[in-house]
């Protein structure tokens, strides 16, 4: 694993053994790990280091601020909403899984979990975030090269809007579009 593939991960779990095991597993995969005991500790930590975090891995049930509330707060705050969030918990009920997914988590994993599966799923989330960053940078470069204003950011993804006299209306591109699509638009815009 290259340095580029490593991520900065916050582990949130009130069980000291689980927290340390998760941290150890993620460190063995080359990630930088910070571990805290509950959602309130996570929020306090994030207040000072949000831009330096690539992923939050959290349990669901914790004494002071559970994982659902932590996720809700992070997804509602512009400073933190782009940090991917994964639940790793012993709560296996469908209701808990659905609730987590409805909150916008990238994955909902249940314990016990194989170490290799955990490492692979975490790496997939980090790789997806990295690809989104690259695409956003390409989108910004495209916009600058062609004089297209970036008019808004939705959930951290740049959106471009321009009008074209032949089409008589706005053309839109979001950060989720492919770089090939952007390149093809150079003739249209």
């Amino acid at each position: 694993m290259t340095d580029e593939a490593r991520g900065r991960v916050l582990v949130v779990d009130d069980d000291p053994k689980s927290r340390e095991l998760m941290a150890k597993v993620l460190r063995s995969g080359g990630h930088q790990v910070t571990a805290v005991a509950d959602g309130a500790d996570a929020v306090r930590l994030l207040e000072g280091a949000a831009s330096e975090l690539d992923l939050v891995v959290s349990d669901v049930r914790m004494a002071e601020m559970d994982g659902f509330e932590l996720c809700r707060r992070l997804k509602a705050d512009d400073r933190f909403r782009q940090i991917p969030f994964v639940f790793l918990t012993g709560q296996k009920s469908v209701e808990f899984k659905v609730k987590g997914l409805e909150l916008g988590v990238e994955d909902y994993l249940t314990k016990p979990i194989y170490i290799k599966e955990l490492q692979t799923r975490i790496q997939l989330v980090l790789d997806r975030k990295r690809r989104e960053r690259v695409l956003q940078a390409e989108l910004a470069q495209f916009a600058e090269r062609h004089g297209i204003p970036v008019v808004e950011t939705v959930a951290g993804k740049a959106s471009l809007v321009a009008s074209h006299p032949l089409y008589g209306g706005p053309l839109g591109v979001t950060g989720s579009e492919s770089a090939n699509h952007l390149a093809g638009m150079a003739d249209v815009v």
Side-chain angles (χ1 to χ4, degrees):
M1 185 179 298
T2 65
D3 286 341
E4 188 177 303
R6 295 181 179 137
R8 295 158 300 196
V9 182
L10 174 61
V11 171
V12 187
D13 195 321
D14 63 346
D15 176 25
K17 288 181 181 179
S18 290
R19 185 173 59 240
E20 287 309 309
L21 179 60
M22 256 195 297
K24 184 177 180 180
V25 166
L26 293 171
R27 284 185 187 113
S28 74
H31 303 290
Q32 296 174 4
V33 180
T34 303
V36 297
D38 59 47
D41 287 344
V43 169
R44 283 189 286 276
L45 182 102
L46 284 165
E47 291 290 334
S51 64
E52 298 184 19
L53 197 58
D54 296 311
L55 175 66
V56 174
V57 178
S58 177
D59 193 4
V60 169
R61 289 200 174 163
M62 295 176 284
E64 188 182 341
M65 190 188 301
D66 68 19
F68 292 130
E69 181 60 24
L70 172 62
C71 183
R72 197 174 292 110
R73 285 190 187 191
L74 297 184
K75 297 295 183 183
D77 191 317
D78 288 339
R79 297 170 298 167
F80 310 129
R81 105 172 6 119
Q82 286 311 301
I83 301 171
F85 198 105
V86 172
F87 280 123
L88 177 58
T89 181
Q91 303 303 315
K92 297 179 182 185
S93 75
V94 173
E95 293 82 15
F96 275 70
K97 289 178 183 180
V98 169
K99 185 175 181 179
L101 293 169
E102 287 176 344
L103 286 172
V105 299
E106 279 64 29
D107 211 341
Y108 188 105
L109 309 172
T110 56
K111 299 173 190 173
I113 188 168
Y114 290 103
I115 291 172
K116 184 64 176 165
E117 180 184 0
L118 175 61
Q119 290 172 329
T120 301
R121 286 180 179 263
I122 295 300
Q123 195 58 52
L124 287 170
V125 170
L126 292 170
D127 288 347
R128 184 173 35 241
K129 180 181 179 189
R130 195 167 289 106
R131 284 190 308 272
E132 286 177 2
R133 265 191 256 148
V134 168
L135 185 57
Q136 287 176 15
E138 289 172 355
L139 182 62
Q141 290 172 352
F142 177 84
E144 187 176 323
R145 238 184 350 262
H146 298 286
I148 302 170
V150 176
V151 295
E152 64 182 61
T153 300
V154 178
K157 295 179 181 165
S159 298
L160 305 179
V161 175
S163 64
H164 191 284
L166 295 177
Y167 297 106
L171 300 171
V173 177
T174 66
S176 62
E177 299 293 326
S178 71
N180 291 337
H181 180 71
L182 293 176
M185 284 190 60
D187 296 331
V188 177
V189 178

